[in-house]
Amino acid sequence: TTPAAPSTPAIAAPATATELVSKVKTAVAAAKSATAKASGMNNGKTFSMDMSGTLDAKNSTLKMTQDGASVQTKVVDGAVYLKADKAFWDSQGQSAAAAVIGDKWAKLPAAQSDDFLKTSISSVLNQMLSAMTEDKLAASVESAELDGKKVFVVTHAKGKDEAQMFVAADGTWLPVKVTGKASETAVVTLTEWNSVAPVVAPPADQVLDMSTM
């Protein structure tokens, strides 16, 4: 008979929620790249945001839609390239820009790039994790399944409708999903940890350099 393949020992759940959060913080700090998809309500309006690339956003893409307006960016070698629809430019009071830029990528001047460079997966996760203090967490860690895979679950002290974090139970200690207040339908899913392909700049003939205009 063929011997059975050795089974991988199950990873034990941490004894407390704070211990799990600590492991997640360490794992996220060591991670290089990921894809994060967020959706929910912001000031009564639906929004969605997809971020992918390095956690520090230095090589990354971002796509955001809110109240019918859409914008996407690419960050490559310190430069920020932005493409948006007319609704976005109108919402920024930049209707004239929409006519000039059209469907091309706008290469932003350095002074206008800071806000986009500050929006990173790392900043979003750090903000979430820093709020997960012992007094705001249910003490115990639950074990569950998410999309057919085992996860550890941390829940807010007020219950799952306030916030939950789902962490891969495979020894990586990386988060795969975070939910916020049920009333805001806030959800962030995290995939492609340490495996996102490098982002490349748009072709030169599709770029308008705004610093020369």
Side-chain angles (χ1 to χ4, degrees):
T1 59
T2 304
S7 59
T8 303
I11 304 295
T16 65
T18 51
E19 183 184 342
L20 178 55
V21 171
S22 178
K23 287 180 178 291
V24 171
K25 287 180 178 178
T26 300
V28 168
K32 300 301 182 186
S33 65
T35 293
K37 296 188 177 186
S39 62
M41 301 287 290
N42 184 23
N43 296 324
K45 299 175 180 178
T46 60
F47 79 92
S48 65
M49 182 167 64
D50 295 359
M51 294 182 285
S52 189
T54 59
L55 263 61
D56 61 8
K58 290 183 178 179
N59 182 260
S60 63
T61 61
L62 181 149
K63 295 179 182 178
M64 187 164 51
T65 300
Q66 181 169 321
D67 198 25
S70 298
V71 61
Q72 55 182 315
T73 63
K74 291 186 175 189
V75 181
V76 183
D77 295 332
V80 177
Y81 303 87
L82 181 147
K83 181 189 281 190
D85 61 11
K86 186 176 183 301
F88 172 83
W89 291 118
D90 289 348
S91 72
Q92 302 298 306
Q94 300 275 345
S95 298
V100 174
I101 298 168
D103 62 355
K104 291 193 173 185
W105 291 87
K107 185 178 180 181
L108 301 183
Q112 296 177 15
S113 300
D114 285 352
D115 287 345
F116 294 101
L117 294 171
K118 290 175 184 175
T119 304
S120 66
I121 296 175
S122 180
S123 66
V124 171
L125 284 176
N126 287 340
Q127 183 177 6
M128 289 180 178
L129 291 168
S130 64
M132 294 183 184
T133 52
E134 186 173 4
D135 60 311
K136 294 179 181 177
L137 298 174
S140 61
V141 174
E142 300 174 56
S143 295
E145 281 201 2
L146 181 67
D147 299 328
K149 295 181 179 180
K150 292 182 179 180
V151 291
F152 299 131
V153 187
V154 175
T155 303
H156 194 283
K158 293 182 179 179
K160 66 179 183 180
D161 286 345
E162 191 72 17
Q164 283 189 308
M165 178 171 65
F166 301 78
V167 180
D170 57 4
T172 63
W173 307 110
L174 290 166
V176 293
K177 183 179 180 180
V178 181
T179 61
K181 290 185 178 181
S183 59
E184 298 174 356
T185 62
V187 180
V188 179
T189 58
L190 296 135
T191 59
E192 295 187 292
W193 282 105
N194 298 314
S195 61
V196 178
V199 178
V200 296
D205 62 357
Q206 294 180 25
V207 173
L208 281 178
D209 189 340
M210 303 305 288
S211 65
T212 63
M213 299 181 69

